[in-house]
Amino acid sequence: KLRRKFAVPVVYVEWVDSCVTDGWQCRQKNWTVARIRSVGVFVRETKEAITLSTSISQHGSTNNPMTIPRVAVLRMRRLL
Protein backbone atom coordinates (compact mmCIF):
# COMPACT_ATOMS: atom_id res chain seq x y z
CA LYS A 1 0.00 0.00 0.00
CA LEU A 2 1.32 3.44 -0.93
CA ARG A 3 1.76 5.71 2.09
CA ARG A 4 1.51 9.45 1.79
CA LYS A 5 4.39 11.19 3.54
CA PHE A 6 3.03 14.59 2.61
CA ALA A 7 -0.24 15.66 1.05
CA VAL A 8 -0.18 18.08 -1.88
CA PRO A 9 -3.05 18.70 -4.28
CA VAL A 10 -2.76 17.54 -7.88
CA VAL A 11 -4.90 19.70 -10.19
CA TYR A 12 -6.17 19.82 -13.77
CA VAL A 13 -6.16 23.30 -15.34
CA GLU A 14 -7.60 24.46 -18.66
CA TRP A 15 -6.23 27.80 -19.77
CA VAL A 16 -5.63 29.95 -22.84
CA ASP A 17 -2.27 31.12 -24.13
CA SER A 18 -0.89 33.17 -26.98
CA CYS A 19 -0.40 31.33 -30.25
CA VAL A 20 2.27 32.12 -32.82
CA THR A 21 3.03 30.82 -36.30
CA ASP A 22 6.10 31.37 -38.42
CA GLY A 23 6.48 32.14 -42.09
CA TRP A 24 4.11 33.90 -44.45
CA GLN A 25 0.41 33.62 -43.62
CA CYS A 26 -2.74 34.70 -45.42
CA ARG A 27 -4.23 37.84 -43.81
CA GLN A 28 -7.70 36.31 -43.86
CA LYS A 29 -6.65 33.30 -41.78
CA ASN A 30 -8.74 32.95 -38.62
CA TRP A 31 -6.13 32.98 -35.82
CA THR A 32 -7.19 31.95 -32.34
CA VAL A 33 -5.57 31.57 -28.94
CA ALA A 34 -4.26 28.17 -27.89
CA ARG A 35 -6.37 26.20 -25.42
CA ILE A 36 -4.01 24.38 -23.03
CA ARG A 37 -4.66 21.51 -20.60
CA SER A 38 -2.17 21.00 -17.77
CA VAL A 39 -1.96 18.57 -14.87
CA GLY A 40 0.43 19.26 -12.03
CA VAL A 41 1.16 19.64 -8.36
CA PHE A 42 -0.53 22.76 -7.02
CA VAL A 43 2.22 24.96 -5.53
CA ARG A 44 0.54 28.27 -4.68
CA GLU A 45 -1.93 30.92 -5.72
CA THR A 46 -2.10 34.69 -5.54
CA LYS A 47 -4.70 37.21 -6.69
CA GLU A 48 -2.91 37.36 -10.05
CA ALA A 49 -1.79 33.79 -10.75
CA ILE A 50 -1.61 30.10 -9.88
CA THR A 51 1.59 28.04 -9.90
CA LEU A 52 1.85 24.35 -10.80
CA SER A 53 4.87 22.09 -10.73
CA THR A 54 5.74 18.80 -12.40
CA SER A 55 7.16 17.38 -9.16
CA ILE A 56 7.60 18.24 -5.49
CA SER A 57 10.00 16.69 -2.97
CA GLN A 58 9.23 15.64 0.60
CA HIS A 59 11.06 18.85 1.62
CA GLY A 60 8.75 21.04 -0.48
CA SER A 61 11.20 21.82 -3.29
CA THR A 62 9.51 22.04 -6.70
CA ASN A 63 10.70 21.07 -10.17
CA ASN A 64 9.77 23.02 -13.32
CA PRO A 65 7.20 25.37 -11.76
CA MET A 66 4.86 27.12 -14.20
CA THR A 67 2.88 30.23 -13.27
CA ILE A 68 -0.38 30.86 -15.15
CA PRO A 69 -2.15 34.24 -14.97
CA ARG A 70 -5.62 33.89 -13.42
CA VAL A 71 -7.18 35.79 -16.32
CA ALA A 72 -6.04 32.93 -18.60
CA VAL A 73 -7.56 30.14 -16.47
CA LEU A 74 -10.84 28.75 -17.84
CA ARG A 75 -11.33 26.03 -15.24
CA MET A 76 -9.42 24.22 -12.54
CA ARG A 77 -10.30 21.14 -10.53
CA ARG A 78 -8.53 19.04 -7.95
CA LEU A 79 -7.68 15.48 -9.00
CA LEU A 80 -5.96 14.22 -5.82
Side-chain angles (χ1 to χ4, degrees):
K1 187 174 181 180
L2 180 65
R3 293 176 143 203
R4 289 190 176 191
K5 292 186 178 182
F6 56 99
V8 292
V10 174
V11 295
Y12 167 84
V13 181
E14 275 187 54
W15 55 288
V16 291
D17 198 2
S18 304
C19 186
V20 65
T21 59
D22 63 348
W24 289 93
Q25 302 289 322
C26 176
R27 279 186 353 159
Q28 286 78 26
K29 186 170 179 165
N30 187 18
W31 290 287
T32 62
V33 296
R35 191 174 190 131
I36 311 298
R37 295 178 192 103
S38 299
V39 174
V41 177
F42 184 82
V43 176
R44 71 181 197 136
E45 64 182 319
T46 66
K47 270 176 47 176
E48 296 85 25
I50 62 166
T51 301
L52 306 179
S53 180
T54 57
S55 303
I56 191 167
S57 75
Q58 72 270 25
H59 305 294
S61 300
T62 60
N63 185 37
N64 296 324
M66 173 176 58
T67 300
I68 305 168
R70 279 195 178 274
V71 297
V73 174
L74 302 173
R75 70 181 52 92
M76 180 172 67
R77 76 171 191 262
R78 186 174 177 156
L79 300 176
L80 295 174

